[in-house]
Amino acid sequence: GAIIVTDNKFEAILKMVDGKVHRVVYEGSLELGYIPIPEPDYYSTLTEDYTFENSGVMRMLYYGDTYGLGGANWLVEVMDNTEEVNGDYFRVNLVANDNTYSADSVWGTYTAVATEDEVAKGTFVAGTEAGINEYYHSWYWVIEDNYIDHGYGAPLSTGSVNIAKDGSSYIMTIDCMDDNGHKIQGTYTCGGIEVYDMTTM
């Protein structure tokens, strides 16, 4: 057979195995169409609720009054240790009630807001992605040999996070949900704390 393609038209003359000849003519757009693969409208990879009771280390990163609210922007992270990280890893992007560079200014309860436009003192910003594996704000991940396992994790989308000092322990209590209806609840009790002033770096 033969196929002739011109602007907005193709014509095919085909001889079948039984000897019959068919002529097919198409006129119209020659743009190819593809069936779109639907993308989920959520970032979480959890398939069920997740509860935990962990111990490890807390790290606090101070960024000053980033949002101009008179309250310091902190990234507070908890993990099993800070050297060879494995296992659960939480990061919370919050705004404290004052702009003091001191861990003592962070103790308290923070409620989730959906975007940075809604941020206020006593809130944390829900997790989101800007692209493939580009994570922002507040997340739960699993770390394997210091690398994020991109196949398992979830944004902290709604709920509350409490950060407290109890004697020599530093505790993050999470009562949140991801962006696909799964609960993320538990406590991370840390025997050590690291505090860094990121405004000087």
Side-chain angles (χ1 to χ4, degrees), residues 126-160:
T128 188
E129 281 189 51
I132 297 175
N133 302 334
E134 291 184 26
Y135 307 104
Y136 293 93
H137 307 305
S138 304
W139 277 83
Y140 159 59
W141 296 297
V142 173
I143 306 295
E144 293 184 1
D145 298 327
N146 289 326
Y147 292 95
I148 294 173
D149 176 359
H150 299 292
Y152 193 81
L156 304 179
S157 296
T158 60
S160 65

Side-chain angles (χ1 to χ4, degrees), residues 4-22:
I4 303 165
V5 181
T6 57
D7 287 343
N8 298 320
K9 178 181 178 182
F10 73 78
E11 181 176 1
I13 302 172
L14 307 170
K15 183 177 182 181
M16 305 301 178
V17 292
D18 63 0
K20 293 182 179 178
V21 175
H22 293 269

Side-chain angles (χ1 to χ4, degrees), residues 3-118:
I3 299 176
I4 303 165
V5 181
T6 57
D7 287 343
N8 298 320
K9 178 181 178 182
F10 73 78
E11 181 176 1
I13 302 172
L14 307 170
K15 183 177 182 181
M16 305 301 178
V17 292
D18 63 0
K20 293 182 179 178
V21 175
H22 293 269
R23 179 175 178 261
V24 179
V25 177
Y26 167 83
E27 293 185 84
S29 173
L30 298 183
E31 290 186 13
L32 296 176
Y34 298 94
I35 299 174
I37 299 173
E39 293 186 7
D41 58 356
Y42 55 86
Y43 299 118
S44 177
T45 60
L46 299 184
T47 57
E48 59 186 359
D49 295 346
Y50 181 62
T51 59
F52 62 94
E53 291 292 332
N54 293 346
S55 60
V57 177
M58 181 177 291
R59 178 190 291 152
M60 294 182 170
L61 308 176
Y62 169 80
Y63 287 90
D65 189 9
T66 303
Y67 298 105
L69 300 170
N73 179 207
W74 291 83
L75 287 183
V76 182
E77 304 169 329
V78 289
M79 66 213 81
D80 62 344
N81 67 73
T82 57
E83 296 175 7
E84 187 71 21
V85 183
N86 282 284
D88 287 349
Y89 188 105
F90 289 89
R91 172 183 286 171
V92 179
N93 179 13
L94 62 83
V95 177
N97 286 309
D98 64 53
N99 191 25
T100 306
Y101 172 56
S102 168
D104 291 338
S105 70
V106 180
W107 315 139
T109 300
Y110 299 85
T111 55
V113 293
T115 68
E116 288 183 294
D117 293 336
E118 303 169 61

Side-chain angles (χ1 to χ4, degrees), residues 157-185:
S157 296
T158 60
S160 65
V161 173
N162 179 269
I163 301 169
K165 182 179 181 183
D166 183 9
S168 60
S169 296
Y170 306 91
I171 302 168
M172 179 182 285
T173 303
I174 295 173
D175 185 8
C176 291
M177 295 187 73
D178 68 6
D179 57 348
N180 195 27
H182 300 112
K183 295 178 183 178
I184 303 173
Q185 296 175 313

